[in-house]
Amino acid sequence: MTASADPGSTAFATRQIQAGYLPGTPQNSAVPPIYQTAAFQFASLADAADLFALRKAGNLYSRNASPTQQVLEDRVTALEGGVSAVAVASGQAAVAVTLLALAGRGGHIVAADQLYGGTVDLLQETFDDFGIPVTFVNQDDADAWRAAIRPDTRVLFAESVANPIAQVLDIRLVADIAHEAGVPLVIDNTVGTPYLVRPGEHGADFVVHSATKFLSGHGTSLGGVVVDQGTFDFGAEPQRWPQFTAPYARFGELVLWERFGIGFAFGALVKSKYVHDLGPSLSPFNAWQILQGIETLDLRVARQSATALTIAEHLAQHPKVAAVHHPGLTGNPWNALAQRYLPRGVPSVFSFDLAGDIDGDEDPAAHARAARVIDNLTVVRLIANIGDARSMVAHPASMTHSHLSPAQRAAAGISLNTIRFSAGLEDPADLVADLNQALALL
Ligand code: PLP
């Protein structure tokens, strides 16, 4: 975890290929090598002791960091315009370690109602077990964010573009509310991608990713990243943030804030405590796979966005479709925010609702309708993933968001008629034809 090796003056497309890596080993490999090793040999016992006590930075053991992971961290840092990053085993782990580090001992979290279902599971069950209270609010309601903040609140959390309904967050508004309360805003930018929106430019202090999705783009590997934008000053109110500002017995009473400072202390805590203790480390091979994907991020995302918009426009006039939740469509409630925050295009993950009445929370007829369409798709695949080269659908109510109560699903905008679509890189005409033939069976 160091500042990016990127000179900082290059454009996005250059950074996604070059940031974080300069050949320089005796082998001079053009592509970052996979350092597939569990551990690293120390130069001496004194060297080992310095590394263990955080007196010195360097490679120690791959649970904490590895050189391949470092390239990935620096590259995503450069793409998000941040200062440092920590890469971990999955997006879920990135969200977990980020919020654990900020919440500290029992700090309160305010989170959006409109979140990926796995994040809701984490926040409302596991964090509850840990004694970390979470209040969920409608992300479009500024007063609800303000009203939910308590003296023990330590972080506000939302997705830039929510999965699966694609509500676009007013990032600046929520960032200002967080900062008025003296707490950071964490944004999950998995669906947004740094190509389409960089939350740090709109006030977010930490940006998390499931690198499994668009950053990889190939669907082969799990990974997660959190980027510190270097904007949140834990030293401004040191008593609120003892995890950064108080002497840390584990490291000989070292004060992380003094040793690492703004933009780096957060990552030091995440790696040396949460990843070290809980162990959600990224394998060097997965780090390398994600790096291969990032090299084509802008090309993929631009094409996927265009394809998704074509399909959304087609579905919007289809008689078997009741609603299309795509913020690129005029009339979508988040269209104005999409124009403001997503000038390069709207993400390619959106949802649509099949036509047909729903009778009760578990209406078998509504389930059967969704199954009839989904099970008859042939080009589009039924897969619980987003953002890879394949076009995929999911039924959030019985898959990703099945653990939510009917009321929580309704708050997130999901019904039994809702189908999530993630546009891949296939020919859009094949995707439209496939959807048409499946919808014709209704
Ligand atoms: N955040 C969002 C928005 C997601 O869609 C997902 C997974 O679908 C995650 C986080 C979790 O990421 P992972 O599956 O890599 O653990």
Side-chain angles (χ1 to χ4, degrees):
M1 188 213 34
T2 61
S4 167
D6 177 63
S9 58
T10 52
F12 192 91
T14 310
R15 276 179 276 154
Q16 72 184 6
I17 295 169
Q18 298 192 355
Y21 181 67
L22 284 175
T25 63
Q27 293 74 24
N28 260 344
S29 91
V31 172
I34 307 173
Y35 287 93
Q36 192 71 35
T37 177
F40 300 85
Q41 186 171 324
F42 303 108
S44 64
L45 182 54
D47 181 50
D50 283 346
L51 283 159
F52 270 87
L54 295 187
R55 286 190 291 271
K56 185 176 163 186
N59 300 313
L60 187 159
Y61 189 64
S62 285
R63 171 145 38 85
N64 302 64
S66 81
T68 315
Q69 174 185 331
Q70 175 86 55
V71 179
L72 174 64
E73 290 169 349
D74 289 348
R75 192 159 298 176
V76 179
T77 298
L79 297 185
E80 285 289 359
V83 171
S84 69
V86 177
V88 287
S90 65
Q92 196 73 6
V95 173
V97 295
T98 298
L99 296 180
L100 285 171
L102 295 171
R105 193 169 296 179
H108 169 247
I109 296 169
V110 186
D113 278 332
Q114 299 86 343
L115 292 177
Y116 159 64
T119 310
V120 178
D121 290 342
L122 170 74
L123 297 184
Q124 73 177 9
E125 287 188 26
T126 303
F127 276 24
D128 191 47
D129 293 347
F130 288 179
I132 297 174
V134 182
T135 304
F136 291 95
V137 297
N138 176 0
Q139 69 179 31
D140 296 325
D141 185 342
D143 291 337
W145 284 104
R146 283 196 196 92
I149 293 171
R150 330 190 300 207
D152 62 344
T153 300
R154 290 293 173 270
V155 53
L156 269 48
F157 179 72
E159 294 173 15
S160 53
V161 181
N163 174 2
I165 300 294
Q167 299 96 334
V168 181
L169 182 74
D170 190 339
I171 303 172
R172 174 59 64 186
L173 179 80
V174 183
D176 288 347
I177 293 169
H179 297 155
E180 276 161 29
V183 300
L185 173 66
V186 176
I187 291 293
D188 181 334
N189 199 29
T190 300
V191 173
T193 79
Y195 178 65
L196 297 178
V197 57
R198 284 176 293 283
E201 292 174 0
H202 307 290
D205 303 289
F206 300 92
V207 177
V208 293
H209 279 278
S210 165
T212 317
K213 320 295 183 195
F214 289 97
L215 294 182
S216 291
H218 36 53
T220 67
S221 309
L222 266 80
V225 185
V226 50
V227 179
D228 184 341
Q229 298 295 142
T231 48
F232 196 79
D233 182 1
F234 294 102
E237 284 185 277
Q239 71 291 350
R240 279 191 140 189
W241 309 100
Q243 64 268 54
F244 299 108
T245 59
Y248 196 174
R250 180 185 292 206
F251 299 114
E253 305 302 325
L254 177 105
V255 176
L256 290 175
W257 193 245
E258 287 171 5
R259 169 76 176 77
F260 296 100
I262 196 159
F264 296 96
F266 167 82
L269 179 72
V270 167
K271 279 192 177 173
S272 63
K273 179 172 180 179
Y274 293 98
V275 182
H276 173 89
D277 291 7
L278 301 173
S281 314
L282 182 65
S283 87
F285 180 72
N286 279 21
W288 184 86
Q289 286 273 38
I290 297 163
L291 280 166
Q292 303 320 298
I294 288 177
E295 294 190 356
T296 55
L297 179 66
D298 63 343
L299 300 172
R300 288 184 284 105
V301 167
R303 175 152 158 186
Q304 287 168 302
S305 295
T307 299
L309 185 58
T310 301
I311 289 165
E313 284 167 346
H314 174 76
L315 292 174
Q317 45 74 43
H318 198 290
K320 300 286 173 58
V321 173
V324 180
H325 308 285
H326 187 295
L329 299 178
T330 19
N332 179 280
W334 294 275
N335 183 250
L337 285 171
Q339 289 181 31
R340 183 166 147 212
Y341 285 103
L342 301 158
R344 282 177 150 171
V346 170
S348 50
V349 178
F350 69 98
S351 293
F352 59 97
D353 294 344
L354 299 174
D357 293 336
I358 299 172
D359 184 12
D361 292 337
E362 288 306 332
D363 180 9
H367 275 287
R369 214 163 31 230
R372 190 152 182 79
V373 173
I374 288 174
D375 291 344
N376 283 290
L377 291 165
T378 57
V379 181
V380 180
R381 310 299 172 89
L382 174 60
I383 298 175
N385 199 12
I386 54 173
D388 88 35
R390 277 148 289 275
S391 290
M392 300 171 281
V393 287
H395 186 239
S398 39
M399 296 169 62
T400 49
H401 292 68
S402 58
H403 301 162
L404 274 62
S405 67
Q408 283 179 308
R409 284 205 291 268
I414 298 164
S415 83
L416 294 180
N417 277 340
T418 304
I419 294 179
R420 182 182 73 187
F421 188 87
S422 176
L425 296 170
E426 305 92 339
D427 191 307
D430 287 335
L431 302 171
V432 168
D434 195 29
L435 287 161
N436 279 347
Q437 63 78 22
L439 286 166
L441 301 172
L442 283 186

